[in-house]
Amino acid sequence: MAHENPGNHLIAIGTLARRTGVAVSAIRFYEEKGLLQSLRTAGNQRRFLRSDIRRISFILIAQKLGLGLKEIEEHLATLPQGRTPTVRDWERISSHMRERIDEQIDLLTRTRKRLDQCIGCGCLSLAKCALYNAGDKAAAKGPGPHMDL
Amino acid sequence: MAHENPGNHLIAIGTLARRTGVAVSAIRFYEEKGLLQSLRTAGNQRRFLRSDIRRISFILIAQKLGLGLKEIEEHLATLPQGRTPTVRDWERISSHMRERIDEQIDLLTRTRKRLDQCIGCGCLSLAKCALYNAGDKAAAKGPGPHMDL
DNA sequence: ATGCAAGCTCAATCTAAGTTGAGGTCAAGC
DNA sequence: GCTTGACCTCAACTTAGATTGAGCTTGCAT
């Protein structure tokens, strides 16, 4: 395929798009937002590092965990700029993700417990129920809207 | 407080807002979207059933689980219209939520496992990694953007 | 050397989930 | 009977996360 240069560490935006499953427009958008950086050819075309594939994969995972692009950018900012991150770099950054996942599982587990407790009780208001619990407010940065339960 | 009529099954929008923690504007918005219905007084003011408190609580929980208002509406549509739902009605609808929670916990658990497996491996592309797995695409309707991983 | 896919910029548009504001009405308490 | 807070509608605005389109350029392949 055109612009495909296997063995080269610099890849075109379309290649990056194909390798990550993300739309070209989204990649440009991420770059604009500072989540990615690119070099330019003499003809003004973007060239990415191969390691940006992983960078984008990270973005996708983090999004699934409910992080906004701003937060994700902060995480990614701790990776080396311009050079390919090492395994150690990725380990550090992904351990945050692991914590995040654990938190979310916790929150879901609690929500399930409370749902079971609450449905079936006579009250109409979750505010009176165990389901409404101040403890959740802190943990409530997860998926969905930012409205506190 | 004005318009507060304890013992009455019809409540004003402000009361509903206070009891659920949801903004008045949001309640009107939900009604517009068909998630709630209301009666009107002679003076054109909305009156809700007390049971709408629980309806809204349900919306809030479902939102936390990453459901969009459209999906939530579909769930709520299975509740009786106009009359106060029974405990059994709520049990049925909330059992879907419980399944949903279980699915999400599952997905998160798998994601964590794969994250551990993948970070540290030599490949740059999660597409080649265990992290990219067709099985997830089905389950990927959870929180965050609707982009498939 | 030319065709055409892939790239570029920039502005507009989209969806979701609301909020905000203007301008006007309703109703409860003094 | 009037003030005041709660309520009404409708339109515009907001943020996040992109997508789409117009109009133009680059550069691989033949």
Side-chain angles (χ1 to χ4, degrees):
Chain A
M1 213 163 251
H3 304 273
E4 206 89 16
N5 189 349
N8 193 336
H9 63 297
L10 290 179
I11 58 179
I13 195 168
T15 309
L16 187 52
R18 242 170 296 115
R19 307 277 265 172
T20 56
V22 161
V24 167
S25 63
I27 294 177
R28 286 200 271 252
F29 178 74
Y30 292 155
E31 189 190 16
E32 195 186 322
K33 292 285 175 179
L35 281 78
L36 297 172
Q37 279 170 276
S38 65
L39 304 164
R40 295 295 178 123
T41 64
N44 198 35
Q45 298 198 355
R46 288 171 181 83
R47 287 300 178 265
F48 294 90
L49 295 176
R50 270 190 177 292
S51 58
D52 286 326
I53 296 171
R54 185 166 261 174
R55 217 171 156 100
I56 290 182
S57 301
F58 179 84
I59 294 171
L60 295 176
I61 294 170
Q63 278 191 317
K64 283 228 172 183
L65 298 178
L67 299 192
L69 293 186
K70 220 162 239 169
E71 286 173 281
I72 297 172
E73 189 195 341
E74 286 163 23
H75 280 291
L76 286 175
T78 72
L79 287 176
Q81 313 221 290
R83 79 157 169 81
T84 299
T86 66
V87 165
R88 192 157 284 253
D89 288 324
W90 282 114
E91 275 172 1
R92 181 172 33 70
I93 201 172
S94 69
S95 82
H96 289 301
M97 288 301 105
R98 211 178 306 120
E99 282 168 29
R100 183 81 182 198
I101 292 172
D102 288 342
E103 272 172 31
Q104 292 224 352
I105 289 179
D106 247 52
L107 178 56
L108 286 172
T109 304
R110 284 201 305 278
T111 301
R112 183 177 49 190
K113 193 172 293 174
R114 283 171 189 161
L115 189 62
D116 286 344
Q117 283 170 0
C118 183
I119 297 297
C121 86
C123 76
L124 284 173
S125 172
L126 295 186
K128 292 183 201 156
C129 250
L131 215 81
Y132 182 87
N133 186 298
D136 275 351
K137 294 195 173 173
K141 286 209 59 190
H146 307 152
M147 174 127 298
D148 281 332
L149 186 53
Chain B
M1 211 158 253
H3 305 270
E4 206 89 17
N5 190 350
N8 193 336
H9 63 298
L10 291 179
I11 59 179
I13 195 168
T15 309
L16 187 52
R18 241 170 297 111
R19 307 277 260 162
T20 57
V22 161
V24 167
S25 63
I27 294 176
R28 285 199 273 251
F29 179 74
Y30 293 154
E31 190 191 17
E32 196 185 323
K33 291 285 173 180
L35 281 77
L36 297 173
Q37 280 170 275
S38 66
L39 304 164
R40 297 294 179 125
T41 64
N44 197 35
Q45 297 199 352
R46 290 171 181 83
R47 286 298 179 265
F48 294 89
L49 295 176
R50 271 188 176 291
S51 58
D52 287 325
I53 295 170
R54 185 166 262 175
R55 219 173 155 97
I56 290 181
S57 301
F58 179 84
I59 294 171
L60 295 176
I61 294 171
Q63 280 191 317
K64 283 229 173 184
L65 298 178
L67 299 191
L69 293 186
K70 220 162 240 168
E71 286 174 282
I72 298 173
E73 189 195 342
E74 286 163 24
H75 280 290
L76 286 175
T78 73
L79 287 177
Q81 313 221 290
R83 78 156 170 79
T84 299
T86 66
V87 165
R88 192 156 283 252
D89 289 324
W90 282 116
E91 275 171 0
R92 182 173 33 70
I93 201 172
S94 69
S95 82
H96 289 300
M97 288 301 106
R98 211 178 306 119
E99 282 167 31
R100 182 83 184 194
I101 292 172
D102 289 342
E103 270 171 33
Q104 292 224 351
I105 289 178
D106 246 51
L107 178 56
L108 286 172
T109 305
R110 283 201 306 279
T111 301
R112 182 177 49 191
K113 194 173 292 174
R114 284 171 188 160
L115 190 62
D116 286 345
Q117 281 169 1
C118 184
I119 296 299
C121 86
C123 77
L124 283 173
S125 172
L126 295 184
K128 292 184 202 157
C129 250
L131 213 84
Y132 181 86
N133 186 299
D136 275 351
K137 293 195 174 174
K141 289 209 60 192
H146 307 153
M147 175 126 298
D148 280 331
L149 186 52

